[in-house]
Amino acid sequence: MVQFHEHIISDLLEDPNGGLVVLSSGLSLPKLVANLLSLHSSDQGTLLILSANPCQRKSILISNPNPNFNDGPTEITSELPSHQRNALYTSGGVYFITSRILIVDLLTSRIPTSKIAGILILNAHSLSETSTEAFIVRILRSFNKNAYIRAFSDKPFAMVSGFAKAERIMKCLFVRKLHLWPRFQVYVSQELERSPSEVVDVRVPMNSAMKGIQKAIIEVMDACLKEMRRTNKVDVEDLTVENGLFKSFDEIIKRQLDPIWHTLAKKTKQLVSDLKTLRKLLDYLVRYDAVTYLKYLDSLRVSESFRSVWIFAESSYKIFEYAKKRVYLFTKTEAGKPSEQSKNVSGKKRKLKESSTEKEASSGGVFVQEILEEPPKWKVLRDILEEIEAERKKQESSSDEIVIENEDDSNGIVLVACKDEHSCMQLEDCITNGPKKVMREEWEKYLLSKVELKGYQGRHKGAKKKTKEPKGIGILDGVVPRTGKEDAEVSSTNKQENDALLAAASAVKKLSKKEATSVDTCQQNVVNEENAPGKRKGKSEKPLQEKQGIEKHNNNRRKSKSIDKSQVASPVNEDEITGDNTISEDGLLEGEQRTLLAENGVLRRHTEDISADAPTSQRTLPPVHFHALESDQPILDILKPSVIIAYHPDITFVREVEVYNAENPSKKLKVYFLFYEDSTEVQKFEASIRRENGAFESLIRQKSMMMIPVNLDDHLLGLDYPIESQSSVTQNSITRKAGGRKEAEKEMQVIVDMREFMSSLPNVLHQKGMRIIPVTLEVGDYILSPLICVERKSIQDLFGSFASGRLYHQIETMVRYYRIPVLLIEFSQDKSFSFLSASDIGDDVTPNSIISKLTLLAMHFPRLRIVWSRSLHATAEIFASLKANQDEPDEVKATRVGVPSEEGIVEDDVRAENYNTSAVEFLRRLPGVTDSNYRTIMDGCNSLADLALVPIEKLADLMGGQKAARTLREFLDAKYPTML
């Protein structure tokens, strides 16, 4: 454990009430929590951990310094029955638990609160006054004032978003002390800088195309920000390009525009989305290769070309042009001679090998000249790995004794840290097979995707248009025909370029099919020998070929000496073998199935070229492990590397390396940082440090001016002023009442469904003084009285319920079992109080309109009451007014509503007609029967058979008039027509 962790723990233990700890990101928060848990003893009581995500739970378990501490904290889940959970609560151990389970157990008194020593809350920056964690703390402190609350956060920038957020979080957690531990704190800086590691900052220059793309994106982003400033709806100080590099920029814009979102024009709404897209484009430029980047741009052009604003900006065309030039050039030929453009191409640009396809295309056609520009970092990474291995061999040869002494400390593993899993897999393939082969694979997958898209479009359009000479013949043969000057003038350059890409793709596909058939004939004999006497035909042959190709591909990779796989297990081997596709949050395809080159004729032809173009230096490389930073795994303590290469530098990972170096001072650690020179990657890294330092400076100022209640018991009761002033006000108010008589206030009760504790409404209702009874309800979400049942819908849930038809069934059951069914539509407090803007509301009734759906729902269920609420607090006021002059609901009856017994009859139903719902529906559809008289008819008749025998006089009394009775009697006595 590092020394500043000891200072943090000692500060927390000094205050028995607890506190809020905010430290810089990357300072090993899981280790701090694990060390704090190791000091807990079962005699103190049970310790519960809230709001821990799965990665944090795993890190805490791995970082546990005391192996005898009951094998680390265990998890309490909803699968455990209540008596087992009660036993765990009284055991005095440490447990992970979700807020939903804990709040239900607290409200149902299943937890002996006197046995709870305290609660640890992680990710405190996500808390608010209406969160479930605040609800838990308020209930626990009302029963057990000695329990401590300790909250932690390693996101200082999130703690300063909004007005006095840190102070509001401390008030809702009932803690008085705020502990701030930035990176520039004295104890932290001294500890991390005591024995600094050797750092090598490598600045890789970007090529001209990457610089052009980056400049164009920044110009487009600046233009979008200028358009956003003209709206006068957003704080101008936040609208900077530097802030636009971070994901939190979207949250800042969203928080400011949500209340007025319905008043914004479509262009302003689209600008918000465009800024997010441009930030991704900047990030992907330095993260992915040229072909993957072009593929993402193509998807953007298809999906956003009609509505985006940034695509129509002045510099946007440069982004697409430079991205194409990094991958290929579009070249025209005349009479077998290439154009002047192809003559001036540099030596790095590679053309397709001579084949029959290119010979035919050169006779007055067009073709695609490959560039396949490699990312500059790839070569630098390989050079660094070769340098590391050369230094290691030099040290071993010079001093064998030193190596033997430090053999336990240095395992020789080199850790390469990348942003995501896709980059890890691609870099591993690059080190193993060479960069040119990797770019060739990406290029051929890109071309094959063009053919698949063309075939998909052709299946839909081919049936409509049929010509004598199909246009696709030349493309499928790898040739783009040019019939004459007129056709050339009519066809645009984009169409010719697309046709040339399809020609190259079809050539690859055509040659791969030829090679696949030859491979099939060779493999068929082996299959016949192993699987005699049966033979596989049709589609069943393809999986077998893929399996054999995978095995062959893996065998080739095992023989490779580039990476020592015997010492380090690669984290992506399983993904490569299975070919699983996973999609990241940003929307790019990760774990993309790799093309198997061994069985493909075209790709086998290029294998020789790649081996010929491979680096002449056949130096052995050290054992390398690739780690994805987005996985949040404690990889440093597991692998204990001696050399770390930050391929995608991140401030959080840098701090983790510093802590790792401080914990292992004897290990000679060497760290390489790979930055693109003069890129937004450097700007973003430096800006993240400035943002964090500014956040801590703001927290320090807030800490000096905070107004925290001295008496937490008064604050628990909602009194932020001293008791003496309250007593004087109460004494004066008594004299105004008759004899000082106090009105007896009854406690309001609300029965809440278990599933509703995912929302914050039960917390707000409890703040209003209502008693919350959590049960499992079959009908409704909230039961306010024996007559009132409420189905609560947020806006997002309302749209989903209409789409799935679930809302109709829910309202139908509410109308059946309760006298006053209520549909509560609850809006968010920080968003607009409207479904649509006024300009979006049409005059006609359409089936997709939410207004039309609500209208049809109200017409179909006349007794349904629709209530609109602006926020959670408004909902609490509405519930209080609805419960006025109403009886309190019965918990037992509410749980049995809608639940049939073993005989199929609903017990203790609200109305008797629900014993036979079909008969009631049939009765209400008879002529003369209305909503006002059908209940009277049911009281006077036992069944429909009795109704047919009732005389006309009695029927008139039951139905409230002679006319209605005569109408029903004529209908019942009418003769049915016959065929005779």
Side-chain angles (χ1 to χ4, degrees), residues 773-822:
I773 304 175
V775 297
T776 301
L777 295 177
E778 194 70 23
V779 178
D781 293 331
Y782 296 86
I783 308 300
L784 305 183
S785 72
L787 304 178
I788 303 176
C789 176
V790 179
E791 180 70 30
R792 174 186 169 272
K793 293 292 181 184
S794 62
I795 303 304
Q796 184 177 3
D797 192 15
L798 181 68
F799 280 83
S801 299
F802 268 125
S804 63
R806 188 175 70 252
L807 181 60
Y808 180 87
H809 175 70
Q810 291 172 339
I811 300 300
E812 186 179 24
T813 53
M814 289 171 56
V815 172
R816 183 181 303 171
Y817 295 113
Y818 287 93
R819 187 67 59 87
I820 307 176
V822 178

Side-chain angles (χ1 to χ4, degrees), residues 340-404:
E340 294 296 329
Q341 185 180 5
S342 62
K343 291 181 180 180
N344 299 328
V345 177
S346 61
K348 293 183 180 180
K349 303 176 182 180
R350 297 181 291 121
K351 296 193 293 182
L352 288 170
K353 296 296 180 180
E354 290 187 2
S355 61
S356 59
T357 302
E358 187 173 353
K359 290 178 181 178
E360 294 176 359
S362 62
S363 60
V366 293
F367 70 97
V368 174
Q369 186 175 3
E370 299 177 13
I371 306 299
L372 301 184
E373 179 184 284
E374 302 169 6
K377 278 189 179 181
W378 285 8
K379 184 179 183 302
V380 176
L381 176 62
R382 187 173 183 87
D383 293 342
I384 291 174
L385 292 176
E386 293 176 354
E387 178 186 343
I388 293 170
E389 184 65 18
E391 290 180 358
R392 186 168 299 166
K393 288 184 177 180
K394 184 178 179 181
Q395 292 178 359
E396 290 178 356
S397 60
S398 60
S399 58
D400 295 337
E401 296 179 357
I402 299 177
V403 173
I404 295 174

Side-chain angles (χ1 to χ4, degrees), residues 512-525 545 548 552 598-601 604:
S512 65
K513 287 182 179 180
K514 291 182 180 179
E515 183 64 21
T517 55
S518 62
V519 173
D520 289 344
T521 55
C522 297
Q523 292 179 349
Q524 190 65 32
N525 297 328
Q545 296 167 11
Q548 292 174 351
K552 188 174 181 180
E599 61 179 9
N600 198 320
R604 178 177 288 178

Side-chain angles (χ1 to χ4, degrees), residues 103 123-139 159 161-174 707-708 715-716 720 759-768 829-830 872-873:
I103 187 59
N123 301 313
H125 53 272
S126 61
L127 302 183
S128 63
E129 296 90 341
T130 59
S131 61
T132 309
E133 288 80 6
F135 193 8
I136 291 170
V137 172
R138 184 169 66 252
I139 295 179
M159 294 293 295
S161 60
F163 177 73
K165 185 174 182 179
E167 181 178 349
R168 290 187 282 112
I169 291 176
M170 293 176 65
K171 284 184 178 181
C172 70
L173 294 180
F174 306 105
M707 298 180 63
I708 304 298
H715 181 58
L716 184 64
D720 293 335
S759 67
S760 301
L761 183 56
N763 182 14
V764 177
L765 294 177
H766 187 268
Q767 288 179 347
K768 295 294 183 181
Q829 186 173 3
D830 55 350
L872 294 170
H873 298 279

Side-chain angles (χ1 to χ4, degrees), residues 540-557:
S540 61
E541 290 180 358
K542 188 175 180 180
L544 181 62
Q545 296 167 11
E546 291 179 352
K547 291 180 182 177
Q548 292 174 351
I550 291 171
E551 293 175 358
K552 188 174 181 180
H553 182 66
N554 292 334
N555 291 334
N556 293 335
R557 295 195 62 179

Side-chain angles (χ1 to χ4, degrees), residues 431-494:
I431 297 299
T432 306
N433 300 323
K436 294 183 178 180
K437 186 175 181 180
V438 174
M439 292 301 297
R440 173 68 61 182
E441 291 178 5
E442 295 292 339
W443 168 244
E444 288 173 350
K445 285 189 290 186
Y446 175 74
L447 290 178
L448 292 176
S449 66
K450 290 280 186 181
V451 174
E452 293 176 0
L453 180 61
K454 183 69 177 179
Y456 176 77
Q457 294 176 349
R459 286 194 297 268
H460 291 274
K461 296 181 180 179
K464 297 180 180 179
K465 298 181 180 180
K466 293 183 179 180
T467 58
K468 296 181 180 180
E469 295 181 358
K471 297 180 180 180
I473 292 179
I475 296 175
L476 293 178
D477 290 340
V479 182
V480 181
R482 299 180 66 186
T483 56
K485 296 182 179 180
E486 296 180 358
D487 295 335
E489 292 175 356
V490 173
S491 61
S492 62
T493 305
N494 291 333

